[in-house]
Amino acid sequence: MTTPRRLAEPPPFPSWPDQWADADTRSVAAELHAVFAGFLDGLAAAGRSRETITAHTANLWLLGGEIMAFFRASPANRARGVAWYFATCMPGGDGPTPKQLKLKADLRAYQATCRQLLRHVRANKLLKGKPDAEPQ
């Protein structure tokens, strides 16, 4: 038997760009926040339960932190934006693995959120064109 996830509650959703970004990545954080907000709005519109939305929100918080770490570490990729990241770094839907997730069940739930998010991104045509280069 595994124990339930023991992650801190995600911060209030509107403050995420400030939580993730530094001066150089503020525009990428705002773009990512808009994608996540659209995804969560879609879940609510589809009638998903509050518990389900809360679980996805916690997973998005982890994913956002991982994506922003990638952009902070790679200034050359910042100008390419979030759609480029999804197309290039998450083509199959699996997100980067957060160090905070120790249990396989938590990782499966996180990856399920990542795949659902990528379906949302594709369905809403947030991926423009094809990726032009490999990540740096």
Side-chain angles (χ1 to χ4, degrees):
M1 175 184 236
T2 61
T3 57
R5 181 187 317 198
R6 300 243 187 267
L7 295 175
E9 282 294 311
F13 188 71
S15 70
W16 282 11
D18 295 331
Q19 296 273 330
W20 290 328
D22 57 20
D24 296 330
T25 59
R26 216 165 290 292
S27 65
V28 175
E31 185 181 358
L32 184 61
H33 184 261
V35 170
F36 286 3
F39 173 68
L40 292 172
D41 287 346
L43 293 175
R48 298 295 188 261
S49 72
R50 182 183 185 129
E51 182 179 82
T52 297
I53 293 171
T54 300
H56 283 299
T57 302
N59 288 328
L60 290 176
W61 182 37
L62 291 172
L63 176 61
E66 295 295 320
I67 291 172
M68 292 310 300
F70 172 84
F71 281 111
R72 280 191 301 275
S74 182
N77 292 334
R78 288 182 196 146
R80 294 181 174 134
V82 171
W84 171 86
Y85 180 89
F86 287 128
T88 304
C89 301
M90 291 179 57
D94 285 341
T97 303
K99 296 174 196 78
Q100 298 93 322
L101 297 181
K102 305 292 185 208
L103 300 175
K104 288 182 181 182
D106 291 341
L107 182 58
R108 280 192 302 272
Y110 165 81
Q111 294 297 2
T113 295
C114 293
R115 287 187 296 275
Q116 287 182 40
L117 174 66
L118 189 60
R119 283 193 296 273
H120 164 80
V121 166
R122 288 178 177 153
N124 290 285
K125 299 183 183 358
L126 300 176
L127 297 178
K128 299 168 188 107
K130 296 198 184 242
D132 59 352
E134 290 298 311
Q136 308 239 337

